[in-house]
Amino acid sequence: MKKHIPNTLTCCNLISGCIATYFAFQSNYSIAFAFIIIGAVFDFFDGFAARLLHVSSPVGKELDSLADDITFGFAPSAIVFSLTSGLLQQVELTQCELGVDSLTYYSVAYYLPYLAFLMAAFSALRLAKFNLDERQTTSFIGLPTPANALFWAALSVSLTGTSFTNDSTRLIVAIALLVGVLISCWLLVAEIPMFALKFKHFGIHGNELRYGFILLSILLLIILGWAGFSAIIILYILTSIADNAFGTKVAK
């Protein structure tokens, strides 16, 4: 019986991702964000349960990657697709000030948001590399998929309450989101070492970076609310890059 517990938790992660995707297509980004967080909780506890119960298996490892690509790859892609589609349709409906032919704009506005699904493909590639990369036992190479998903989900919730007053602004925001997708795709598979919040012990010495990051993250959440999650992921990336640039030199 106990051997099925981790895989059951993994399936709950996958189902959470499916529900998040549904609400993303409904433009209900708050609930989509909530289910991505729920999926992340299940993702944490399935591995924890497998190690605790000593029932790790190759099937569980593959199932975990499949579930992660749904929750942390496809769901955030659906969020960005829905968000950019909505923005571009608003521009189209208001007879925009952009000075372009309406048929040309319609074609671009219809197809451009599909670029968001590149993130699902690159998330799958990142997960496949993670399964085979023996360097990523205590840290990560490239941006972890849960971090990427939390960034986009939190950003979508932040933008929901924002009213863009003109067509040019809506178009700029939509294009900026899609450029951000391309940057995310690169970060997912980039050869950039990023620290993990894995503690070998809970003393201060050796964990200064982790404790400092946690404290700053709490402050960002207090100050920015849900938008703080997006800021935390940016902080995580910049902190990892700074640690690679300066931390190694100091250690040497």
Side-chain angles (χ1 to χ4, degrees), residues 11-30:
C11 288
C12 289
N13 172 18
L14 190 151
I15 292 168
S16 298
C18 293
I19 297 171
T21 302
Y22 169 78
F23 282 105
F25 284 129
Q26 299 296 315
S27 299
N28 195 332
Y29 306 122
S30 297

Side-chain angles (χ1 to χ4, degrees), residues 196-232:
L197 291 175
K198 296 178 180 178
F199 293 84
K200 294 181 180 178
H201 60 85
F202 294 101
I204 299 295
H205 183 68
N207 289 318
E208 296 88 350
L209 179 66
R210 294 174 180 83
Y211 282 126
F213 175 76
I214 291 170
L215 288 173
L216 286 174
S217 297
I218 293 170
L219 285 175
L220 287 172
L221 286 175
I222 293 171
I223 296 169
L224 300 176
W226 292 113
F229 279 98
S230 295
I232 288 169

Side-chain angles (χ1 to χ4, degrees), residues 97-196:
E97 313 151 355
L98 305 172
V100 296
D101 176 77
S102 59
L103 182 61
T104 302
Y105 180 78
Y106 175 78
S107 300
V108 172
Y110 182 80
Y111 290 109
L112 201 59
Y114 285 94
L115 285 173
F117 292 107
L118 284 172
M119 200 152 53
F122 275 82
S123 295
L125 180 59
R126 189 260 174 311
L127 290 162
K129 289 179 65 178
F130 178 80
N131 286 344
L132 299 173
D133 194 342
E134 297 179 356
R135 298 172 297 169
Q136 301 190 54
T137 53
T138 58
S139 62
F140 301 111
I141 306 293
L143 182 65
T145 54
N148 183 61
L150 288 173
F151 171 83
W152 287 107
L155 183 63
S156 68
V157 173
S158 304
L159 291 176
T160 301
T162 306
S163 58
F164 301 107
T165 54
N166 58 67
D167 294 323
S168 299
T169 303
R170 293 186 186 98
L171 184 61
I172 290 169
V173 171
I175 291 174
L177 288 171
L178 294 173
V179 170
V181 166
L182 298 178
I183 295 172
S184 282
C185 290
W186 175 72
L187 286 171
L188 285 165
V189 297
E191 288 289 310
I192 300 175
M194 298 193 180
F195 69 92

Side-chain angles (χ1 to χ4, degrees), residues 59-129:
V59 171
K61 186 177 182 181
E62 298 304 321
L63 182 62
D64 184 67
S65 293
L66 291 170
D68 284 356
D69 193 41
I70 297 297
T71 306
F72 309 128
F74 186 50
S77 294
I79 286 172
V80 179
F81 173 82
S82 177
L83 198 55
T84 53
S85 294
L87 288 168
L88 293 173
Q89 285 170 12
Q90 287 176 33
V91 174
E92 179 187 14
L93 292 173
T94 54
Q95 300 297 316
C96 67
E97 313 151 355
L98 305 172
V100 296
D101 176 77
S102 59
L103 182 61
T104 302
Y105 180 78
Y106 175 78
S107 300
V108 172
Y110 182 80
Y111 290 109
L112 201 59
Y114 285 94
L115 285 173
F117 292 107
L118 284 172
M119 200 152 53
F122 275 82
S123 295
L125 180 59
R126 189 260 174 311
L127 290 162
K129 289 179 65 178

